[in-house]
Amino acid sequence: APAPPPARHLFSDPAEVEALRGNLLAWYDRCKRDLPWRALVRRDCGNSALLPAVWVSEIMLQQTQVATVINYYNRWMQKWPTLQALAQASLEEVNELWAGLGYYSRGKRLQEAARKVVSELAGRMPRTAEDLQKLLPGVGRYTAGAIASISYGQATGVVDGNVIRVLCRLRCISADSSSPAVIDRLWDMANVLVDRSRPGDFNQALMELGATVCVPKAPLCGECPVKQHCQAWCRKLFGSPPKVPDVEDCGVGDCPLCPPATEPWDSSLGVTNFPRKAAKKPPRVMRTATCVLERRGCHGALEYLIVQRPGSGLLAGLWEFPSLPLAQDLQEEREREELADHLQAWMGRPVAAKGLRFIREVIHVFSHIHQTYVVYSLSLDGDVTLDPALSPSRWVTEDEFHASAVSTAMKKV
């Protein structure tokens, strides 16, 4: 069995826990950001038919910054304020509103969960973290804890990226913070710390602290309301002796929350020694040939052909210009030929590779893929009959294109 962490890494003093709660909540009451979903939380609790604001916001905020989310969130809640309204929406509508926000499966799962609540749970949201995680697709441990504590007052902690950073600095945890063993310890800490009378506010305060003060680089330690409880801040580097033994005295090699002996404290980094993560894998490199097919519509306006992606996988269900994944290190001439063959299948008539006009390469970086689109264009004369047995396709004007469920990458193209 793994060795238990020493007391220096835990919150074992009830008086300190109570003081930390009080200091953090007082700061949050003074300094919290005015975010639209916070104004709706109280209203949600009194009407089970409403779409919980915190649920929508937390799903949108996964891997996405607050500033980007606000407009999407406002449009979403205006269009689908109730569970019933979202359950009745089509996936096409969901994708259109979500377009540009990224990680498109989030919107799909949100709608699937709303449909399940309406059709299988009599329209009533589960109200505990355990039931939320068990019953709703797309709701993991963190999202379940956030909804249960903020919307329904359950005294349960939450652990997201901001909370990981705050807790690791508060208790000098420098083992790999992405490892399951360390994550489990952090959840234990979050559940010890959460204020029993104001769990939702406390969890939001902890996340707010990580988002605005205890930031990854150049943290504002002087403004931190809980710096007196922060072991990283109390290191000798900051001019005061630590209140607990140094990391070196913690039993390096045996402590599951300390770094290996080969990774000592770096005095030049200060509190940003924490947290530590394993090095990320480099993104997968991909090349895709993409063709913007254009024609003159019946009213003289230019129209462009877009096709729908498969219902699963990357960018599932979104629309794009006809595209073809390419093997790496393919010669340009061969790229053109393969793309021409691909387009011929759509149009049922020969397409000359030399007729494809090269525009430029467009780079778009997904979370795990470094994608290069090799963009060509082809102007068509007259009507074109598309094979109905292939993926759904349609001709759109430029305005219709931007109103469709297309990815940011396709907008770049």
Side-chain angles (χ1 to χ4, degrees):
R8 71 177 303 280
H9 288 304
L10 306 176
F11 292 94
S12 51
D13 180 356
E16 183 187 18
V17 170
E18 195 63 31
L20 188 151
R21 289 172 179 166
N23 292 338
L24 185 59
L25 284 168
W27 168 82
Y28 179 70
D29 290 339
R30 293 192 312 270
C31 302
K32 64 183 176 184
R33 290 172 293 179
D34 182 17
L35 302 175
W37 43 89
R38 289 176 175 166
L40 294 179
V41 169
R42 292 188 182 278
R43 187 189 72 163
D44 291 349
C45 298
N47 187 338
S48 61
L50 291 172
L51 184 61
V54 67
W55 181 22
V56 177
S57 65
E58 290 299 343
I59 296 295
M60 288 186 170
L61 286 165
Q62 292 169 7
Q63 306 292 326
T64 309
Q65 294 181 342
V66 168
T68 302
V69 163
I70 289 176
N71 286 336
Y72 282 91
Y73 169 84
N74 287 333
R75 291 198 301 270
W76 184 285
M77 296 303 289
Q78 183 177 11
K79 185 163 187 166
W80 300 304
T82 66
L83 287 160
Q84 186 75 34
L86 179 56
Q88 292 176 346
S90 68
L91 180 58
E92 181 77 6
E93 290 176 301
V94 169
N95 282 338
E96 285 176 1
L97 195 149
W98 202 277
L101 195 56
Y103 299 92
Y104 292 88
S105 60
R106 294 179 297 169
K108 180 180 179 181
R109 290 198 299 265
L110 188 55
Q111 189 209 28
E112 288 174 349
R115 286 182 171 174
K116 183 171 183 179
V117 172
V118 170
S119 63
E120 299 180 26
L121 304 178
R124 291 192 61 82
M125 281 284 292
R127 294 188 170 230
T128 66
E130 297 76 17
D131 285 346
L132 285 159
Q133 189 174 354
K134 180 173 65 177
L135 296 174
L136 299 187
V139 174
R141 190 177 184 183
Y142 161 74
T143 305
I147 297 170
S149 62
I150 298 170
S151 291
Y152 305 123
Q154 183 184 2
T156 184
V158 298
V159 173
D160 72 345
N162 287 316
V163 173
I164 288 172
R165 184 165 56 256
V166 171
L167 294 181
C168 284
R169 289 173 178 174
L170 285 174
R171 282 300 178 263
C172 280
I173 296 170
S174 52
D176 176 9
S177 64
S178 63
S179 72
V182 174
I183 292 294
D184 284 344
R185 294 292 186 184
L186 295 174
W187 273 98
D188 291 341
M189 291 183 194
N191 284 319
V192 167
L193 285 178
V194 64
D195 188 272
R196 271 51 187 169
S197 60
R198 297 177 61 188
D201 285 344
F202 180 86
N203 286 336
Q204 290 181 92
L206 203 56
M207 294 185 282
E208 188 93 335
L209 185 69
T212 62
V213 174
C214 195
V215 292
K217 298 178 181 179
L220 307 176
C221 294
E223 300 178 18
C224 178
V226 294
K227 59 180 178 287
Q228 66 268 40
H229 306 286
C230 179
Q231 293 180 10
W233 186 75
C234 291
R235 292 298 301 250
K236 293 176 182 178
L237 174 67
F238 297 100
S240 59
K243 300 177 182 177
V244 294
D246 270 345
V247 170
E248 301 90 82
D249 302 323
C250 193
V252 171
D254 297 323
C255 175
L257 300 182
C258 278
T262 55
E263 300 177 17
W265 165 278
D266 183 342
S267 60
S268 67
L269 296 178
V271 300
T272 61
N273 274 280
F274 312 101
R276 296 186 184 184
K277 296 182 180 180
K280 285 186 177 181
K281 294 181 180 179
R284 192 155 40 99
V285 176
M286 293 185 65
R287 284 176 67 82
T288 296
T290 299
C291 187
V292 179
L293 286 166
E294 62 180 45
R295 71 175 187 184
R296 287 288 173 186
C298 57
H299 299 294
L302 275 177
E303 294 181 338
Y304 307 92
L305 180 69
I306 56 175
V307 298
Q308 192 169 33
R309 291 181 61 85
S312 60
L314 182 70
L315 306 176
L318 270 65
W319 294 81
E320 65 180 6
F321 299 112
S323 300
L324 177 70
L326 297 169
Q328 294 296 322
D329 302 322
L330 207 62
Q331 295 295 321
E332 181 184 345
E333 182 179 352
R334 185 60 188 152
E335 285 183 353
R336 285 174 179 267
E337 291 172 354
E338 290 195 4
L339 181 58
D341 290 343
H342 182 64
L343 294 172
Q344 182 172 318
W346 283 102
M347 296 186 289
R349 70 184 194 188
V351 175
K354 62 182 181 181
L356 298 174
R357 184 165 64 95
F358 173 74
I359 304 298
R360 57 170 289 188
E361 293 187 355
V362 172
I363 294 174
H364 187 79
V365 180
F366 298 95
S367 60
H368 57 295
I369 298 173
H370 187 282
Q371 174 72 264
T372 298
Y373 292 96
V374 186
V375 183
Y376 295 87
S377 73
L378 179 62
S379 297
L380 301 174
D381 296 323
D383 195 19
V384 177
T385 302
L386 304 174
D387 186 346
L390 298 174
S391 300
S393 59
R394 66 177 191 254
W395 291 94
V396 294
T397 64
E398 185 173 351
D399 288 343
E400 289 168 341
F401 170 83
H402 286 288
S404 299
V406 294
S407 67
T408 300
M410 282 300 110
K411 291 179 179 179
K412 286 184 181 179
V413 169

